[in-house]
Amino acid sequence: MRQAIETFLSPPAATPDASSAGEVTQIVEERDDAGRLVGRASLMAGVPHGESTRYAPDGTMLLQANYAHGALNGPLRSFDEQGAPLQHAHYLNGKPHGVVTVYQDGCLAARQHYVQGVLHGESVSYAPSGLVTSRMTYEAGKLDREALFMTDGVVVRRTNYRHGLLEGETREYARDGALVQSSPYRANLLHGTVRRFAPDGSVFEERVFQQGKPQGEWRSVDAAPAAGSSPGAPRLVKNFEKWVRG
């Protein structure tokens, strides 16, 4: 249960915005029943304007944000109750604009770029170890160009996007870097010949697709396998999705 909110008046805000000139800023503090500060906000005309902060009972900062006329504007940082970071971001007119960094258990988990609330630019995700697990590019909110997915620092999938849809060849790899499967896409649908590869790099199985529909069953490709390589081929194909997921 919260105690009464305390309000302090500050001098008129110095701001280049003529509509705010001469207006009084209120600094509002919120305290719990024990008198501990749990929040402080700067208000103008009854809406957040300036810095706003939230605190845990022990004084640990949970949130530090900036507002302009009621909308998030400027840097924002949030933390868990132990003080570990959760998110660092920048806002413009209430929307994320610039780099947004997300943390999990205090470790970097993702870093994304926004333009006026829309993903635009490189987006990278990280494992707790700090190794990159994916690297993608957005154009106006849609995936575009090549995307990479990694496990333990090794690329296990390469895909290509155009305007948010899979387009071109997607390649799946084993943890040792060996190519496992190649799949052609057109407008998000399998279109062309999907090929599966033996550990020696030779094609041992393939299947044709047209606009997402299989044209017949998988066909074995006769090839003289390298010594000691053929027994592992079926196992590689069976497990490549597990490798991709990590």
Side-chain angles (χ1 to χ4, degrees), residues 94-212:
K95 298 177 180 179
H97 185 78
V99 178
V100 174
T101 306
V102 179
Y103 299 85
Q104 187 171 5
D105 297 326
C107 298
L108 177 62
R111 181 177 284 120
Q112 300 175 309
H113 291 255
Y114 284 82
V115 174
Q116 286 291 325
V118 178
L119 282 166
H120 186 85
E122 188 175 57
S123 177
V124 183
S125 62
Y126 301 84
S129 64
L131 292 173
V132 174
T133 57
S134 70
R135 191 180 296 275
M136 300 173 282
T137 302
Y138 285 85
E139 293 284 343
K142 296 182 179 180
L143 283 167
D144 207 74
R145 290 177 269 177
E146 184 180 57
L148 301 178
F149 301 87
M150 287 80 89
T151 297
D152 296 331
V154 177
V155 174
V156 292
R157 174 184 281 179
R158 290 179 180 267
T159 63
N160 289 278
Y161 288 88
R162 182 182 299 171
H163 307 309
L165 302 177
L166 285 165
E167 187 73 28
E169 184 181 29
T170 290
R171 291 190 162 204
E172 314 280 357
Y173 299 88
R175 287 182 183 269
D176 63 359
L179 179 61
V180 174
Q181 182 165 300
S182 171
S183 307
Y185 283 86
R186 180 184 295 177
N188 231 34
L189 296 174
L190 283 168
H191 189 80
T193 303
V194 177
R195 294 183 172 90
R196 292 174 172 175
F197 297 84
D200 66 351
S202 63
V203 177
F204 75 91
E205 198 172 32
E206 60 184 28
R207 193 178 195 182
V208 176
F209 288 78
Q210 288 188 3
Q211 297 182 350

Side-chain angles (χ1 to χ4, degrees), residues 3-13 23-31 35-47 49 51 53 55:
Q3 286 187 332
I5 292 175
E6 300 179 39
T7 303
F8 307 89
L9 300 182
S10 64
E23 292 196 37
V24 176
T25 299
Q26 294 178 303
I27 305 299
V28 178
E29 291 187 351
E30 185 180 358
R31 298 179 180 274
R36 295 171 298 198
L37 180 67
V38 295
R40 179 185 289 120
S42 174
L43 304 181
M44 180 181 289
V47 299
H49 187 81
E51 186 176 85
T53 54
Y55 300 91

Side-chain angles (χ1 to χ4, degrees), residues 12-93:
T15 170
D17 185 352
S19 65
S20 299
E23 292 196 37
V24 176
T25 299
Q26 294 178 303
I27 305 299
V28 178
E29 291 187 351
E30 185 180 358
R31 298 179 180 274
D32 63 15
D33 290 337
R36 295 171 298 198
L37 180 67
V38 295
R40 179 185 289 120
S42 174
L43 304 181
M44 180 181 289
V47 299
H49 187 81
E51 186 176 85
S52 179
T53 54
R54 301 293 299 179
Y55 300 91
D58 65 356
T60 300
M61 182 179 289
L62 301 177
L63 176 70
Q64 182 181 47
N66 290 271
Y67 289 83
H69 307 292
L72 284 167
N73 211 76
L76 178 148
R77 299 189 301 159
S78 62
F79 308 85
D80 64 21
E81 292 189 351
Q82 285 70 49
L86 293 174
Q87 185 183 90
H88 291 175
H90 191 278
Y91 280 77
L92 181 64
N93 300 324

